[in-house]
Amino acid sequence: MTANKNRWLIALSAIAIHLSIGGAYAYSVYTTPVSEQMGWSPTEVTIAFTIMMALAGSSAALFGKFVEKSGPRKSAIVSAVLFGLGQAGSGVAIAVDSLTLFLLTYGLASGLGLGIGYISPVSTLVKWFPDRRGLATGLAVLGFGTGALITAPVAANLMATVGISNTFYILGSAYFVFITLGASYIAPPPEGWMPASMKKNMASGKKVFKKDLQQLTSKEAVKTKRFWLLWIMMLINTTAGIMMISVASPMAQEVVGLSAAAAATMVGIMGVFNGGGRLGWAAASDYIGRPNVFLIFFIIQIVAFFTLPLTTNVILFQVLILLVVSCYGGGFSNLPAFIGDLFGTKQLGSIHGYLLTTWSLGGVFGPMLVSQIRASTNSYTAVFYVFLGLITLAFIVSILMKLDIKKIERKTRQKQQEDEAVNY
């Protein structure tokens, strides 16, 4: 471990890793070309993406301790191998006309690489930026959200010029190189490291930095009430966001009569709000606090889901959808910093992995809920009210979280006072 590294280059390394694995979200670009060339049904082709998304969160939980034990460099290299081979292997699957191999490469291998790569740099970033946790993790997760915006046009142009198999070979190789480059520089700082500006501000009393609530292992963390409160908050926020992303275009066309072209434009803008929300909300949390940011998320979404079935205004409808998507992105970027605040950085990667199970579950529950409700009622109106109820529950849980934090802070102060009295 060394303090001679530039922490902004550490952040850039994390962005390189997340930009690469974020290319997974450009999967829709492949669906039609692969289906038409191979004769596989769109449903069969989509199964690969479903497997990858399901594994992303679960592998983050499964390998969280491996990431903590091995360090960010080794775990990121493992991610580079799995994700790069998964993508390049998809090209082999296309070349030999094997759907099974395609599911194993794009789905299984890429999914495992995605989960490990997602959490690899995060705990290190939090340690390098004790004064700006939200901003640092927001930058990395912004990279993940932006990866699809870069990959989608590149992949489309490559498929048109060199074919599908070669596209997977080229992109798989590129992902491997970029993740490996990011891994080559990233390393944790020495124990208790702080930037000079933070030390100066603390010494002068110019700025007060809140200490982490406690320093817990992952085993200790999962036994606390606040872990499960945060888990519920993330699950509902993620489910609502993925639901909105999965049906935004047909929903807008049906409810307010948006044209197909306008709906497609809105979907593109949603990507900007997803990415922008990751950085903007995370940076704001450094000033107003993570608990308050989540409260704001749920207030915004309560208003949105209450208003959506009542409005016929095209612009207002789109604005509300974009706000919900920004909260979805902001939830992911605030999560690592919030974990550090609540449980410390001792095993942040492992705890982060456990909480990312909400990513996998939300990816299943969101689309499933909206499709079943829409099919049974022949309308999206009931969808809005179901999610209004869920978001209201999340709002109540976030209030309970704040109360639990204050309770622990009060106990900590009392213990400190008692210890000082004994020492005196």
Side-chain angles (χ1 to χ4, degrees), residues 254-255 369-383:
E254 179 180 315
V255 177
L369 274 174
V370 68
S371 62
Q372 289 190 353
I373 295 170
R374 171 67 180 78
S376 60
T377 63
N378 201 33
S379 170
Y380 284 107
T381 301
V383 173

Side-chain angles (χ1 to χ4, degrees), residues 8 10-22 117-126 129 132-147 186 275 278-279 282 329 332-334 336 352:
W8 292 104
I10 294 284
L12 187 61
S13 300
I15 292 171
I17 295 170
H18 273 224
L19 269 174
S20 300
I21 59 176
Y118 189 90
I119 61 174
S120 291
V122 171
S123 60
T124 301
L125 269 182
V126 170
F129 289 83
R132 299 181 184 180
R133 282 180 173 175
L135 175 63
T137 55
L139 283 169
V141 182
L142 170 64
F144 183 78
T146 308
I186 200 165
R278 291 168 189 258
L279 180 59
F332 281 113
S333 60
N334 273 282
H352 190 203

Side-chain angles (χ1 to χ4, degrees), residues 236-237 239-241 243-244 297-310 324 369 373 380-396:
I236 294 175
N237 192 64
T239 302
M243 178 280 293
M244 194 63 79
F297 286 164
F298 300 131
I299 290 171
I300 287 173
Q301 291 180 84
I302 285 172
V303 173
F305 284 111
F306 178 79
T307 308
L308 281 167
L310 304 176
V324 171
L369 274 174
I373 295 170
Y380 284 107
T381 301
V383 173
F384 299 134
Y385 289 125
V386 168
F387 277 89
L388 174 61
L390 289 173
I391 294 296
T392 301
L393 173 61
F395 176 70
I396 294 169

Side-chain angles (χ1 to χ4, degrees), residues 359-373:
W359 185 12
S360 295
L361 291 173
V364 174
F365 291 153
M368 183 180 71
L369 274 174
V370 68
S371 62
Q372 289 190 353
I373 295 170

Side-chain angles (χ1 to χ4, degrees), residues 77-399:
I77 289 173
V78 170
S79 170
V81 172
L82 287 170
F83 194 76
L85 282 177
Q87 298 291 300
S90 301
V92 176
I94 297 296
V96 300
D97 192 8
S98 173
L99 176 61
T100 301
L101 182 59
F102 188 74
L103 299 179
L104 288 173
T105 52
Y106 202 102
L108 181 62
S110 294
L112 291 172
L114 174 57
I116 297 171
Y118 189 90
I119 61 174
S120 291
V122 171
S123 60
T124 301
L125 269 182
V126 170
K127 292 170 186 174
W128 276 105
F129 289 83
D131 53 337
R132 299 181 184 180
R133 282 180 173 175
L135 175 63
T137 55
L139 283 169
V141 182
L142 170 64
F144 183 78
T146 308
L149 296 178
I150 297 172
T151 298
V154 171
N157 288 329
L158 282 173
M159 284 189 289
T161 53
V162 299
I164 299 174
S165 287
N166 288 330
T167 296
F168 280 121
Y169 298 150
I170 293 168
L171 290 179
S173 301
Y175 295 144
F176 176 81
V177 169
F178 280 112
I179 297 174
T180 302
L181 285 174
S184 66
Y185 189 80
I186 200 165
E191 187 72 27
W193 179 88
M194 287 189 291
S197 59
M198 185 176 178
K199 290 180 181 178
K200 183 178 179 182
N201 287 333
M202 289 180 71
S204 65
K206 183 178 179 182
K207 189 172 182 180
V208 178
F209 294 91
K210 289 188 70 174
K211 292 184 178 180
D212 298 335
L213 210 56
Q214 287 179 307
Q215 290 289 332
L216 302 180
T217 64
S218 56
K219 283 186 178 180
E220 292 168 335
V222 297
K223 295 176 182 178
T224 64
K225 182 199 296 184
R226 61 189 181 279
F227 174 89
W228 293 104
L229 292 175
L230 182 55
W231 191 90
I232 293 169
M233 289 158 57
M234 279 299 300
L235 178 62
I236 294 175
N237 192 64
T238 302
T239 302
I242 293 178
M243 178 280 293
M244 194 63 79
I245 290 170
S246 69
V247 296
S249 178
M251 177 187 287
Q253 292 179 61
E254 179 180 315
V255 177
V256 292
L258 209 63
S259 68
T265 301
M266 181 191 71
V267 170
I269 297 172
M270 282 170 63
V272 176
F273 272 74
N274 185 0
R278 291 168 189 258
L279 180 59
W281 286 117
S285 74
D286 286 332
Y287 298 94
I288 64 177
R290 258 67 73 175
N292 291 328
V293 166
F294 273 89
L295 278 171
I296 293 170
F297 286 164
F298 300 131
I299 290 171
I300 287 173
Q301 291 180 84
I302 285 172
V303 173
F305 284 111
F306 178 79
T307 308
L308 281 167
L310 304 176
T311 185
T312 55
N313 186 288
V314 173
I315 294 176
L316 178 59
F317 191 88
Q318 293 180 84
V319 168
L320 293 172
I321 287 178
L322 294 174
L323 286 173
V324 171
V325 171
S326 80
C327 294
Y328 164 75
F332 281 113
S333 60
N334 273 282
L335 180 59
F338 206 177
I339 293 169
D341 296 346
L342 297 176
F343 308 109
T345 57
K346 185 186 291 187
Q347 291 190 355
L348 192 150
S350 181
I351 300 169
H352 190 203
Y354 288 153
L355 283 161
L356 283 176
T357 54
T358 59
W359 185 12
S360 295
L361 291 173
V364 174
F365 291 153
M368 183 180 71
L369 274 174
V370 68
S371 62
Q372 289 190 353
I373 295 170
R374 171 67 180 78
S376 60
T377 63
N378 201 33
S379 170
Y380 284 107
T381 301
V383 173
F384 299 134
Y385 289 125
V386 168
F387 277 89
L388 174 61
L390 289 173
I391 294 296
T392 301
L393 173 61
F395 176 70
I396 294 169
V397 171
S398 66
I399 293 174

